[in-house]
């Protein structure tokens, strides 16, 4: 089986990511669902680190997927938190992967407060684990060969990425295992092994010998370069160097062998022998120097058999000259592997835990940018709509285009017909009536939500004030009046918004009433509409005149300008540009965001072209209106006017103005309806916020009340006991004489009495009786009394208890000044000493007696029961 090199994993110390991240989130982001999600994501990130680098990993793709997910998450979270020593300081400690330590000290490790250092070490483990997974593959099938090659290339790419980025990621020299020289060599080794795997697959698939020779020669070249780097830098373990040297020779031998097969096919028998001889020399070198690292017996046998056969054939048949090694043509190379680039995300199952999160500085900058953007868009749209209103007003005052279309005097002008059709298509007067009818309901709904929200605060604040006045200084919590100030300010803003909305609704209603008659006429069918318009004598002299044609051309151009403006407004509204990346980049580079400069520059870049188009459009409209007014003056001079014509013209003007106002009223009412519906959602969130804080305050109030009640219950009813009467403390002289007077019960008075003196130690009299033997029945049943334990009638039991705890009734022996420890009984250990060697003061059990003494004579306490071991 082929020998492959795998890289050990780096080990790290435990780091609690959840606590500092959660603390930062709570200090920066306001309370709400987003902050809760962010705190939960911080816990998930901490668990992910423990799973990825905080435990031993199996050499399996699932473990590698976990490490890659953690690396992807680090890359995602890096720009969202200020991982600096002055702001969010997290110190990561990693050990050198190749340092095994010594008996005099631990292994080499480095601790840095740098997320870039953490990313580098995690990426190193990705490459190391990928190399281990590839090495564990069973290379007897094609699928395993593909898997091994893929993971070797992944490892090569990971180590190569570290080589390019490690110095810029750290602010000091790294450990040896992640230094550019080491990871560069590892990347080359992994690439060589990936090339070798492809060589094995080509051999197994019996591809052409020319291709196999090139694959092997390229692998030998990779191994040779890695071997030279190891010799020059000496950064990898010493056992790696002989493996690389052996692999270089083996792959070169394979290349020479397959190239010899190709020479034999080309009938170059001398070259065949020369290459086989070179291959044989290489194999012998490996067998003699690196036999303990690799096994080349099979290769040596194959080369030897081929060389023997080639020499035999050449000696007897071909007699071809064997060229010298220097004369042999160099074997070509074919590299079909390359390091896999590190492209985020590496994991296929990656999902950003902090997807919606941006730093506070970016959030504030985005808010300011959006406000600038809204102001710019609103100003531009208002300017364009004012221009449209101005042009419509000018045309309505001139009764254009109805004046030039009304040549017959008794038919409806085409422009009026189009306006009538537009009004009818939008629902006519019924649409406005329904929209106006819905507004009070929407307004009332919003008012009720706001009033109910503020009512929550009022009720809780009233209760808090009552409890404060009741318990006074005991009621120690933030007053509701102070706590609710931001909410009440927000509620006042909502109330002002609703008041302004009511005023705007009144303006819309008044405007509708003033134009209702004209709108009603436009809603009629064509015949009724024609009947509503007075007839007049036709202006036959103006039919086909040049001034009418000029006016029609100018009006057509004005309509085109209006359409361009409408399209421009839609384009401006549809522009959407996310400034998050810009602000994040500025924050990462400078440590601060110059929001005004960035926003103004970007807004000018995005909307500058639209502003320029709008100015050109307004300028074009101004010129057209001036020309229209000049042409209309000529038209008026030519027009034959009379009372009927003037009345008809006034009605047509009124209808044109009614149409314009209808379009604006519908738009305004729809905007008002949308405004109230959107405000409802905002007020519901405000109501939820009020409800949540009131609920929290109620819970806090209940807990505080419970504590106060318990503390009050524990307090004494009076500060001290009352002074005792004199007859309870001073004896009365008449007490003995007056026996009829009841004597009060004496109080228990605690006095500092001295403890009684310690009794003397028990003495053993000379005439003391011998201890009573304990029978076997008494030993098995401690409840059976013995003679020694029976009370002695002549001795009264003592009522005086000892002042301190007494130990078990160990006996004292003559000549023995205190108990230091019971000697080992003879019955328990008969091998310790013989019967003749027993000291005269040691206890000797009588025949048939238990090995422990039962009761010494004269000892005043009863015998303790004996429990034999079970």
């Amino acid at each position: 089986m082929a020998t492959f090199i795998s890289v050990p994993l780096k080990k790290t110390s435990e780091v609690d990511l959840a606590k500092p991240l959660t603390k930062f989130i709570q200090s920066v982001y306001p309370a709400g669902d987003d902050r809760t999600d962010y705190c939960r994501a911080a816990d998930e990130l901490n668990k992910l680190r423990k799973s990825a680098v905080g435990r031993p990993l199996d050499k399996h793709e699932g473990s590698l997927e976990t490490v890659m997910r953690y690396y992807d998450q680090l890359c995602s979270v890096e720009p969202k938190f200020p991982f600096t020593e002055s702001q969010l300081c997290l110190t990561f400690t990693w050990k050198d992967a190749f340092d095994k330590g010594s008996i005099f000290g631990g292994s080499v490790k480095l601790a840095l407060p740098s997320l870039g250092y953490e990313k580098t070490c995690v990426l190193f483990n990705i490459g190391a684990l990928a190399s281990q997974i590839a090495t564990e593959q069973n290379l007897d099938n094609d699928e395993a060969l593909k898997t091994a090659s893929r993971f070797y290339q992944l490892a090569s790419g990971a180590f190569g990425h570290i080589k390019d980025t490690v110095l810029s990621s750290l602010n000091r020299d790294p450990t040896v295992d992640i230094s550019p020289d080491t990871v560069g060599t590892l990347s080359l080794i992994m690439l060589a092994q990936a090339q070798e795997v492809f060589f094995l697959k080509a051999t197994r698939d019996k591809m052409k010998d020319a291709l196999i020779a090139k694959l092997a020669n390229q692998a030998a070249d990779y191994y040779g370069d890695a071997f030279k780097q190891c010799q020059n830098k000496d950064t990898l373990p010493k056992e790696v160097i002989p493996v690389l040297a052996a692999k270089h020779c083996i792959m070169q031998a394979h290349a020479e062998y397959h190239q010899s097969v190709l020479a034999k096919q080309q009938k170059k028998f001398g070259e065949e022998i020369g290459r086989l001889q070179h291959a044989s020399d290489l194999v012998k070198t490996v067998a003699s120097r690196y036999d303990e690292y690799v096994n080349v017996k099979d290769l040596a046998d194959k080369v030897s058999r081929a060389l023997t056969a080639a020499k035999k054939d050449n000696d007897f048949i071909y007699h071809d000259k064997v060229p010298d090694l220097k004369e042999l043509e160099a074997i070509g190379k074919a590299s079909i592997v390359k390091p896999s680039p590190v492209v985020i995300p590496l994991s296929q199952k990656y999902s950003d835990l902090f997807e919606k999160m941006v730093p506070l500085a970016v959030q504030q900058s985005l808010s300011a940018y959006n406000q600038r953007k809204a102001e710019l868009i609103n100003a531009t749209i208002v300017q364009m709509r004012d221009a449209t209103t101005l042009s419509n007003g000018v045309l309505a005052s001139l009764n254009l285009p109805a004046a030039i279309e009304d040549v017959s005097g008794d038919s409806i002008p085409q422009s009026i017909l189009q306006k009538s059709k537009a009004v009818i298509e939008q629902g006519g007067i019924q649409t406005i009536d329904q929209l106006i009818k819905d507004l009070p309901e929407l307004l009332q709904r919003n008012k009720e939500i706001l009033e109910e929200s503020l009512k929550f605060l009022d009720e809780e604040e009233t209760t808090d004030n009552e409890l404060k006045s009741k318990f006074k200084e005991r009621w120690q919590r933030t007053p509701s009046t102070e706590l609710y100030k931001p909410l009440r300010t927000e509620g006042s803003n909502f109330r002002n918004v609703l008041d302004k909305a009511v005023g705007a609704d009144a303006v819309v209603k008044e405007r509708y009433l003033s134009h209702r008659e004209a709108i009603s006429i436009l809603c009629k069918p064509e015949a009724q509409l024609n009947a509503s318009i007075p007839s007049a004598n036709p202006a036959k002299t103006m039919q086909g005149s040049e001034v009418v044609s000029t006016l029609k051309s100018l009006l057509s151009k004005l309509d085109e300008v209006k359409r361009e403006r409408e399209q421009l407004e839609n384009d401006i509204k549809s522009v959407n540009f996310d400034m998050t990346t810009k602000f994040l980049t500025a924050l990462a580079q400078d440590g601060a965001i110059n929001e005004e400069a960035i926003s103004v520059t970007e807004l000018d870049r995005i909307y500058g072209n639209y502003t320029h188009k709008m100015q050109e459009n307004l300028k074009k409209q101004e010129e057209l209106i001036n020309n229209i007014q000049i042409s209309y003056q000529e038209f008026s001079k030519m027009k034959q006017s009379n009372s009927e014509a003037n009345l008809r013209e006034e009605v047509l003007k009124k209808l044109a103005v009614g149409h314009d106002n209808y379009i604006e009223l519908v738009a305004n009412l729809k905007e008002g309806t949308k405004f109230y519906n959107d405000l409802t959602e905002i007020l519901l969130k405000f109501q939820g916020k009020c409800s949540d804080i009131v609920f929290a305050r109620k819970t806090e109030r209940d807990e505080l009340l419970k504590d106060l009640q318990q503390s009050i219950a524990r307090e004494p009813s009076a500060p001290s006991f009352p002074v005792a009467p004199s007859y309870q403390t001073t004896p009365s002289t008449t007490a003995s004489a007056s026996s009829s007077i009841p004597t009060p019960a004496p109080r228990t008075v605690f006095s500092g009495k001295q403890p009684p003196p310690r009794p003397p130690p028990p003495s053993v009299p000379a005439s003391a009786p011998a201890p009573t033997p304990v029978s076997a029945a008494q030993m098995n049943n401690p409840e059976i009394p013995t003679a020694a334990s029976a009370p002695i009638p002549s001795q009264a039991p003592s009522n005086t208890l000892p002042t301190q705890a007494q130990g078990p009734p160990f006996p004292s022996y003559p000549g023995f000044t205190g108990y230091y420890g019971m000697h080992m009984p003879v019955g328990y250990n008969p091998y310790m000493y013989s019967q003749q060697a027993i000291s005269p003061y040691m206890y000797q059990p009588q025949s048939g007696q238990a090995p422990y003494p039962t009761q010494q004579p004269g000892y005043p306490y009863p015998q303790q029961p004996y429990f034999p071991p079970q």
Side-chain angles (χ1 to χ4, degrees):
M1 182 178 178
T3 302
F4 290 93
I5 298 172
S6 62
V7 182
L9 295 172
K10 288 176 70 68
K11 295 181 180 179
T12 182
S13 301
E14 183 177 356
V15 178
D16 187 3
L17 299 178
K19 185 178 293 184
L21 291 180
T22 301
K23 185 177 180 180
F24 176 80
I25 291 169
Q26 291 175 346
S27 65
V28 170
Y29 290 92
D33 295 339
D34 289 343
R35 191 173 78 173
T36 303
D37 293 340
Y38 297 155
C39 293
R40 190 181 301 113
D43 292 334
E44 291 297 326
L45 180 62
N46 191 48
K47 294 177 183 178
L48 183 59
R49 187 183 193 273
K50 291 181 179 179
S51 300
V53 298
R55 63 181 179 88
L57 297 176
D58 298 330
K59 299 175 183 179
H60 190 268
E61 294 186 39
S63 300
L64 181 61
E65 185 73 22
T66 302
V67 183
M68 290 194 295
R69 274 201 301 123
Y70 178 57
Y71 180 79
D72 292 337
Q73 193 59 60
L74 289 178
C75 294
S76 172
V77 81
E78 185 176 18
K80 299 179 180 179
F81 288 93
F83 290 102
T84 60
E85 294 185 44
S86 59
Q87 291 178 295
L88 186 58
C89 184
L90 287 173
T91 301
F92 301 97
T93 304
W94 288 84
K95 296 180 180 179
D96 191 314
F98 301 115
D99 185 79
K100 298 180 181 178
S102 64
I103 60 174
F104 302 105
S107 59
V108 177
K109 59 184 178 181
L110 177 64
L112 288 178
S114 168
L115 192 70
Y117 176 55
E118 173 85 349
K119 287 171 54 183
T120 299
C121 295
V122 173
L123 187 59
F124 181 93
N125 275 7
I126 290 175
L129 187 56
S131 71
Q132 294 177 12
I133 295 173
T135 305
E136 290 293 317
Q137 297 298 315
N138 182 9
L139 303 181
D140 293 336
N141 58 80
D142 289 346
E143 192 63 31
L145 288 169
K146 293 178 182 178
T147 302
S149 178
R150 175 165 58 88
F151 281 117
Y152 279 134
Q153 292 178 78
L154 173 62
S156 177
F159 293 133
H161 186 79
I162 296 175
K163 176 186 176 183
D164 298 335
T165 60
V166 63
L167 294 181
S168 61
S169 299
L170 310 182
N171 54 4
R172 55 156 293 169
D173 294 334
T175 51
V176 177
D177 56 343
I178 58 174
S179 64
D181 294 335
T182 304
V183 291
T185 304
L186 291 176
S187 177
L188 195 54
I189 293 173
M190 296 300 115
L191 198 64
Q193 294 185 152
Q195 181 78 11
E196 183 181 354
V197 169
F198 271 105
F199 158 77
L200 294 175
K201 187 177 188 309
T203 305
R204 190 181 307 279
D205 295 344
K206 297 180 180 180
M207 295 183 178
K208 293 182 179 181
D209 291 286
L211 175 60
I212 297 176
K214 291 179 181 179
L215 293 174
N217 196 33
Q218 181 65 68
D221 196 23
Y222 285 146
Y223 279 119
D225 292 343
F227 174 72
K228 292 177 183 177
Q229 291 185 12
C230 284
Q231 281 189 320
N232 295 334
K233 302 297 180 179
D234 192 22
T235 55
L236 292 177
K238 295 182 178 179
E239 56 268 18
V240 174
I241 298 178
V243 175
L244 294 176
K247 283 297 194 77
H248 171 68
C249 295
I250 291 172
M251 297 312 297
Q252 200 169 1
H254 278 297
E256 294 289 355
Y257 172 80
H258 287 281
Q259 193 69 21
S260 70
V261 175
L262 181 62
K264 182 179 180 180
Q265 295 173 357
Q266 297 174 352
K267 301 187 182 303
K268 298 178 182 179
F269 303 107
E271 179 184 346
E272 176 192 8
I273 296 173
R275 293 193 180 280
L276 288 174
Q277 287 177 346
H278 187 206
S280 179
D281 294 340
L282 291 170
V283 172
K284 289 178 181 178
T285 301
V286 174
S288 61
R289 296 184 182 181
Y290 314 114
D291 186 49
E292 60 179 310
Y293 298 101
V294 293
N295 184 5
V296 291
K297 186 177 183 306
D298 294 341
L299 178 60
D301 292 344
K302 183 170 67 171
V303 171
S304 177
R305 288 194 301 269
L307 180 59
T308 302
K311 285 183 176 181
K312 181 178 179 181
D313 293 343
N314 192 55
D315 290 343
F316 285 96
I317 303 174
Y318 306 115
H319 304 288
D320 198 0
K321 179 184 177 181
V322 178
D324 196 15
L325 180 61
K326 297 179 181 180
E327 299 176 359
L328 294 175
E329 185 180 353
I331 304 174
K333 300 174 184 178
S335 177
I336 56 176
V337 295
K338 62 179 180 179
S340 300
V342 178
V343 180
I344 305 301
L346 292 175
S347 172
Q348 298 178 355
K349 301 178 181 179
Y350 167 72
S351 60
D352 189 1
L353 297 174
F354 299 90
E355 184 176 5
K356 299 185 295 183
M357 182 180 184
V358 294
L360 180 63
V362 176
Q363 185 178 359
Q364 293 174 344
S365 299
L366 285 173
S367 178
Y369 165 78
N370 290 330
Q371 186 175 356
R372 295 178 189 273
K373 174 184 172 182
E375 291 175 356
L376 176 63
I377 293 176
N378 290 336
T380 305
I381 292 177
V382 166
Q383 194 173 358
M384 290 191 294
R385 289 183 178 178
D386 288 344
T388 301
T389 304
L390 175 64
S391 65
N392 291 338
V394 170
L395 294 181
S397 65
L398 301 177
N399 192 26
L400 292 175
I404 59 177
E405 293 172 352
D406 188 23
V407 293
S408 64
D410 57 356
S411 63
I412 303 175
Q414 187 65 29
S415 60
I416 298 298
L417 284 176
Q418 292 176 355
K419 288 178 171 57
S420 175
K421 183 179 179 182
V423 170
I424 294 173
E425 285 179 352
Q426 295 194 29
I429 202 168
Q430 291 82 6
T431 300
I432 293 183
D433 289 340
Q434 185 62 41
L435 289 172
I436 291 178
K437 180 181 178 182
D438 293 340
L439 285 181
E441 297 179 3
L442 299 174
L443 174 65
Q444 185 62 27
R445 181 181 64 184
N446 289 330
K447 282 185 176 181
E448 290 175 357
I449 295 174
L450 180 59
E451 294 299 330
E452 186 177 0
S453 303
L454 297 176
K455 184 179 179 182
F456 289 156
L457 303 181
D458 294 338
E459 292 177 352
E460 201 283 326
E461 185 174 335
T462 302
T463 305
D464 182 72
N465 293 334
E466 291 175 354
L467 292 172
K468 178 68 176 177
S469 61
K470 178 179 180 181
F471 293 104
K472 301 186 184 303
E473 67 276 358
R474 291 176 179 267
W475 195 248
Q476 297 178 353
R477 72 167 184 169
T478 305
S480 298
T481 306
E482 298 180 7
L483 191 64
Y484 294 156
K485 281 183 179 179
L487 292 174
R488 293 198 179 278
T489 302
E490 193 174 356
S492 299
N493 293 335
F494 288 135
R495 196 184 299 277
N496 293 334
V497 168
L498 289 175
D499 292 341
K500 291 180 180 179
V502 171
D505 293 344
V507 172
V508 170
K509 291 179 182 178
E510 182 180 356
R511 187 175 173 188
Y512 169 63
L513 293 176
S514 62
H515 297 283
R516 179 182 175 84
E517 182 180 357
I519 296 173
S520 302
I521 295 173
L522 289 172
C523 294
K524 295 180 178 180
E526 183 176 351
Q528 298 181 13
L529 177 61
N530 192 15
S532 301
I533 301 174
S535 60
N537 294 326
K540 296 180 180 180
T541 56
M542 292 182 291
Q543 293 182 1
S545 64
E546 183 178 355
V547 67
V548 173
S549 301
T550 302
L551 282 173
K552 287 183 178 180
S553 176
L554 291 173
L555 291 174
S556 176
K557 292 179 180 179
L558 185 60
D559 289 340
E560 184 178 353
V561 168
K562 291 180 182 179
R563 287 193 296 269
E564 289 178 359
R565 205 155 48 231
E566 291 176 358
Q567 183 62 40
L568 188 61
E569 179 179 341
N570 294 331
D571 293 342
I572 291 176
K573 288 181 178 179
S574 63
V575 171
N576 188 15
F577 184 76
D578 188 8
M579 290 289 292
T580 304
T581 305
K582 287 277 184 183
F583 290 136
L584 284 172
T585 304
L587 182 63
Q589 291 178 351
D590 305 331
I593 301 176
N594 189 352
E595 182 273 327
E596 184 177 0
I598 297 175
S599 297
V600 170
T601 303
E602 289 300 316
L603 288 174
D604 184 65
R605 181 183 66 83
I606 297 170
Y607 294 100
N609 186 34
Y610 294 107
T611 305
H612 180 68
K613 289 181 179 179
M614 181 196 70
Q615 296 297 337
E616 289 184 349
N617 183 277
L618 296 180
K619 186 177 180 181
K620 189 185 299 185
Q621 174 178 295
E622 184 178 359
E623 294 177 356
L624 289 173
I625 289 178
N626 290 334
N627 293 332
I628 288 173
Q629 289 176 335
I630 294 172
S631 299
Y632 183 78
Q633 290 178 359
E634 297 179 6
F635 174 77
S636 298
K637 293 177 182 178
M638 297 173 57
K639 187 176 179 182
Q640 298 177 359
S641 60
N642 52 46
S643 59
E644 294 180 355
N646 291 337
L647 180 60
R648 179 179 177 85
E649 185 174 352
E650 289 297 327
V651 172
L652 293 177
K653 288 181 181 180
K654 186 177 179 181
L655 294 177
V657 172
H659 165 267
D660 295 339
N661 280 275
Y662 176 84
I663 299 299
E664 291 183 13
L665 285 170
V666 171
N668 291 338
L669 289 171
K670 288 183 177 179
E671 288 180 1
T673 302
K674 183 178 183 301
F675 164 77
Y676 283 126
N677 289 328
D678 294 342
L679 185 61
T680 299
E681 296 181 5
I682 298 175
L683 288 174
L684 287 175
K685 291 181 181 180
F686 176 73
Q687 185 184 38
K689 190 190 302 184
C690 295
S691 176
D692 291 342
I693 193 171
V694 167
F695 177 78
R697 293 283 287 180
K698 286 182 179 179
T699 304
E700 181 187 11
R701 181 191 66 195
D702 295 341
E703 292 294 330
L704 187 56
L705 280 174
K706 182 178 178 182
D707 294 341
L708 282 174
Q709 291 170 358
Q710 292 177 354
S711 64
I712 292 172
R714 287 193 296 266
E715 290 180 354
S717 56
S720 61
F721 289 104
V723 180
S726 59
Y727 65 83
Q728 293 184 6
T729 56
T730 304
S732 176
T733 56
T734 60
S736 58
S738 304
S739 59
S740 60
I741 301 175
T743 302
R747 288 181 175 273
T748 302
V749 180
F750 298 96
S751 62
K753 293 183 178 181
Q754 296 295 328
R758 183 175 181 179
S763 61
V764 182
S767 61
T772 304
V774 181
S775 65
Q778 290 170 340
M779 291 175 59
N780 297 329
N781 190 359
E783 296 181 359
I784 301 177
T786 61
S789 62
I792 302 174
S794 61
Q795 294 180 350
S798 175
N799 293 328
T800 303
L801 296 178
T803 58
Q804 62 182 10
Q806 301 296 317
F810 294 122
S812 299
Y813 301 101
F816 188 55
T817 60
Y819 179 75
Y820 296 94
M822 180 70 71
H823 287 278
M824 185 69 69
V826 175
Y828 183 79
N829 188 2
Y831 303 103
M832 182 176 178
Y833 36 71
S834 62
Q835 295 290 337
Q836 292 79 11
I838 299 176
S839 301
Y841 60 84
M842 292 188 65
Y843 173 75
Q844 301 182 35
Q846 300 179 4
S847 177
Q849 184 180 348
Y852 293 100
T854 57
Q855 179 72 39
Q856 295 303 315
Y859 202 76
Y861 295 101
Q863 166 67 32
Q864 298 294 320
Y866 171 73
F867 295 95
Q870 299 296 325

